[in-house]
């Protein structure tokens, strides 16, 4: 008892307000006591006495005991309601000292021990209550709760079984008992309980579904099918029961048995979209694409069919693209989705995904934009918009949309990367640094993503002529991925322009072309590093490989002329400069070089 008092010592002092509450609940408690289970008093009244004198004395004592016990019990109830469990415990104990057969007091003491998390003593007391009154369902329910919280499911199940046997009007607790058996993987017992439930409550969809799951766990497919058939037979107009059974058959490699059910359903209910989709999937897997497409087109054109299953089907096709057999069908289905659901942003998002996968970037961007106008709040949609705008070199739009996306998703590093890249290309380097550094911090422990930010920061800081931070960023990116071609190229090229760390620049550019021997841009970078090191003959070898490749820029041709000039071939150098003049990406000195037939750096 002392430990209970200690455990609840914080309730010992009642405020005036709570004392008032005690008075308010007194009448309520009085009526509770009137219906309490004082079995002992009734037992005492039934005792036989040897003499009339003894009987008269015993009755007087019992009456006095009864008044005292009721008084203590009433006071205990008041404190229990007020959450003062320490005082309630003491008073319940006093009540039991007078009347040890008071089942209700044991029940209340068990509740107090449970609140103190003393399960052992709680079990002892509630078992005493059940011994004294074995038809009170609340006693069993408390005992079952204690066992369940203690993960003693076996005893919890026994408690429910006893309660159902002993008590009246407790059939609803059969569901709890079945759940406990399932948790213990005692599926046969659970199935027996579900059978009892059906006998009492009749056929029930949820019960049948549970029985099917249990039979499937036991690899008893035939019995699971029989359960489904029972529902179909009992409710012939309920299409969902046919779908439920077909699902079970299909998921258990019995698709051919599901087809008659589904086709019969479609014949009776031609607009059952779920059945149409299931049949379409069956015939497609069986190679009958023509029949499959008929069912698909009909289902996708139905506005009353929820959009989500359509999206799931189309998404599965998108994953298989590019595929000539699926491309036209996918585009047709995508168009049907927007026709059936013109105001749903998801219809345009899936069409954006479809066109992106097919490389139709402008059409993808158009769909994503419509989705945003319709209120799409999906992060991936915003990110895809930015990705398409960067890819299509629409940097102004990427900046505008990127800033808006960053307001909506301030903690998404991906938004920062696209927005920072747009600022970098637009030569707004200070803004680029701010956004890219923010994204780098948001990358947290994602080292791969952080390396992408370091790569972009290397380029940005270089343009700001903050070479220290530029080099640090590049080196951090290479520390994570030593084979990052973008960093190997830009870092070595910028070092060559600065004529710094040329040994490191050569090491990086050599590695770069060993990995990409036919890339004209990378060959040009290596040639220029060699040029800056004064290794003109070797530089000529690699620049000629570059100019004979694809994707040639004016810069590469101009570099070729510069290398030829250093080797003394002025006429050939001027010829290359003249050629570079008519191309993009040449230096501002190109006209002066040609006019003076002289190299300017």
């Amino acid at each position: 008892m002392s430990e209970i008092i200690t455990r609840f010592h914080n309730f010992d002092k009642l405020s005036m307000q709570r004392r008032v509450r005690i008075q308010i609940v007194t009448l309520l408690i009085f009526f509770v006591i009137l219906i309490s289970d004082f079995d002992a008093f009734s037992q005492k009244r039934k005792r036989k006495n040897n003499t009339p004198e003894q009987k008269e004395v015993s009755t007087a004592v019992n009456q006095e005991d009864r008044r005292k016990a009721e008084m203590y019990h009433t006071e205990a109830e008041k404190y229990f309601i007020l959450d003062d469990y320490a005082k309630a415990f003491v008073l319940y104990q006093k009540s039991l000292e007078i009347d040890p057969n008071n089942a209700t007091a044991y029940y209340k003491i068990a509740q107090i021990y449970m609140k103190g998390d003393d399960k052992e003593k709680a079990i002892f007391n509630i078992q005493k209550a059940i011994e004294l009154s074995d038809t009170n369902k609340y006693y069993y329910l408390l005992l079952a709760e204690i066992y369940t919280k203690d993960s003693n499911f076996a005893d919890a199940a026994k408690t429910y079984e006893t309660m159902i046997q002993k008590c009246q009007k407790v059939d609803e607790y059969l569901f709890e008992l079945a759940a406990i058996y399932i948790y213990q993987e005692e599926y046969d017992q659970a199935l027996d309980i579900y059978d009892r439930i059906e006998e009492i409550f009749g056929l029930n969809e949820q019960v049948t579904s549970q029985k099917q799951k249990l039979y499937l766990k036991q690899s008893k497919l035939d019995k699971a099918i029989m359960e489904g058939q029972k529902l179909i037979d009992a409710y012939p107009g309920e299409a969902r029961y046919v779908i439920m059974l077909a699902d079970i058959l299909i998921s258990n490699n019995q698709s051919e048995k599901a087809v008659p059910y589904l086709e019969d359903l479609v014949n009776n209910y031609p607009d059952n979209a779920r059945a149409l989709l299931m049949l379409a999937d069956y015939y497609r897997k069986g190679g009958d694409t023509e029949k499959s497409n008929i069912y698909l087109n009909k289902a996708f054109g139905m506005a009353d069919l929820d959009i989500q299953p359509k999206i799931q089907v189309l998404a599965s096709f998108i994953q298989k693209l590019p595929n000539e057999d699926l491309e036209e069908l996918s585009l047709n289905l995508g168009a049907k989705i927007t026709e059936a659901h013109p105001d749903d942003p998801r219809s345009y998002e899936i069409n954006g995904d479809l066109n992106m996968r097919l490389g139709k970037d402008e059409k993808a961007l158009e769909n994503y934009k419509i989705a945003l106008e319709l209120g799409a709040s999906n992060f991936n949609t915003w990110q895809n918009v930015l990705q398409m705008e960067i890819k299509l070199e629409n940097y102004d739009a990427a900046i505008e949309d990127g800033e808006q996306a960053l307001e909506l998703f301030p903690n998404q590093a991906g938004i920062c990367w696209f927005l920072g890249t747009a600022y970098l290309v637009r030569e707004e380097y200070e803004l680029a640094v701010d956004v890219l550094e923010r994204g780098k911090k948001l990358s947290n422990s994602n080292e791969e993503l952080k390396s992408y930010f370091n790569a972009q920061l290397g380029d940005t800081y270089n343009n700001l002529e903050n070479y220290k931070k530029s080099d640090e960023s590049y080196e951090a990116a290479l520390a994570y991925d030593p084979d990052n071609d973008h960093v190997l190229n830009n870092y070595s090229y910028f070092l060559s322009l600065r004529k710094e760390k040329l040994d490191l620049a050569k090491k990086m550019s050599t590695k770069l072309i060993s990995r990409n021997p036919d890339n004209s841009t990378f060959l040009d970078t290596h040639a220029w590093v060699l040029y800056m090191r004064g290794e003109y003959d070797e530089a000529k070898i690699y620049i000629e490989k570059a100019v004979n490749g694809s994707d040639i820029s004016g810069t590469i041709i101009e570099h070729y002329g510069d290398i030829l000039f250093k080797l003394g071939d002025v006429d050939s150098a001027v010829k290359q400069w003249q050629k570079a003049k008519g191309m993009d990406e040449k230096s501002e000195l190109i006209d002066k070089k040609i006019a003076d037939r002289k190299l300017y750096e």
Side-chain angles (χ1 to χ4, degrees), residues 156-174:
K158 290 177 184 177
T159 302
Y160 277 115
E161 290 277 18
T162 305
M163 179 187 73
I164 291 165
Q165 180 183 355
K166 295 274 189 179
C167 304
Q168 295 181 348
K169 298 181 180 180
V170 291
D171 293 334
E172 67 268 25
Y173 295 103
L174 286 167

Side-chain angles (χ1 to χ4, degrees), residues 175 194-209 211 226-236 241:
F175 292 94
Y194 282 129
D195 286 341
R196 288 165 64 183
I197 290 172
E198 285 185 338
E199 289 175 6
I200 296 168
F201 298 103
L203 202 61
N204 178 281
E205 179 180 334
Q206 284 71 33
V207 171
T208 299
S209 178
K211 289 174 72 176
M226 287 174 58
E227 290 296 327
Q229 188 65 54
K230 280 163 57 177
L231 281 174
I232 293 172
D233 294 341
Y235 305 100
Y241 295 146

Side-chain angles (χ1 to χ4, degrees), residues 34 68 90 101 123 134 144 158 161-162 165 172 196 210 229 242 285 334 340 347 450 506 514 525 530 548 565:
L34 286 179
K68 287 182 180 180
V90 171
N101 296 318
I123 290 172
D134 64 356
K158 290 177 184 177
E161 290 277 18
T162 305
Q165 180 183 355
E172 67 268 25
R196 288 165 64 183
Q210 282 286 24
Q229 188 65 54
V242 177
K285 288 178 179 177
S347 67
K450 195 179 293 183
K506 183 179 180 181
S514 70
T525 294
L530 296 172
N548 289 321
F565 186 91

Side-chain angles (χ1 to χ4, degrees), residues 143-144 146-162 176-177 179-186 189:
L143 181 58
I146 297 169
Y147 283 139
T148 303
K149 286 183 177 178
D150 202 32
S151 299
N152 185 352
F153 300 108
D155 283 337
K158 290 177 184 177
T159 302
Y160 277 115
E161 290 277 18
T162 305
E176 298 287 341
L177 180 57
I180 289 174
Y181 280 134
I182 292 172
Y183 191 84
Q184 295 179 93
E185 299 183 359
E186 296 180 7
Q189 290 89 330

Side-chain angles (χ1 to χ4, degrees), residues 352-366:
D353 295 344
L354 170 61
N355 283 282
M356 180 191 287
R357 188 63 174 253
L358 293 172
K360 300 181 179 185
D361 298 333
E362 292 184 357
K363 191 66 177 177
L365 179 58
E366 177 186 334

Side-chain angles (χ1 to χ4, degrees), residues 92 151 153 186 198 275 316 376 426 473 543 545 562:
Y92 283 130
S151 299
F153 300 108
E186 296 180 7
E198 285 185 338
S316 70
R426 276 284 174 254
S473 298
I543 198 67
K545 288 184 179 181
D562 293 352

Side-chain angles (χ1 to χ4, degrees), residues 557-574:
I557 301 299
E558 186 175 354
H559 282 171
Y560 187 24
D562 293 352
I563 292 169
L564 291 172
F565 186 91
K566 284 290 187 179
L567 289 170
D569 190 350
V570 178
D571 290 339
S572 295
V574 172

Side-chain angles (χ1 to χ4, degrees), residues 453-471:
F453 280 102
N454 279 321
Q456 294 295 70
L457 284 166
D459 295 346
T460 309
Y461 281 124
N462 179 80
N463 283 291
L464 289 170
E465 298 183 3
N466 188 338
Y467 300 127
K468 182 176 182 296
K469 284 194 173 182
S470 175
D471 292 356

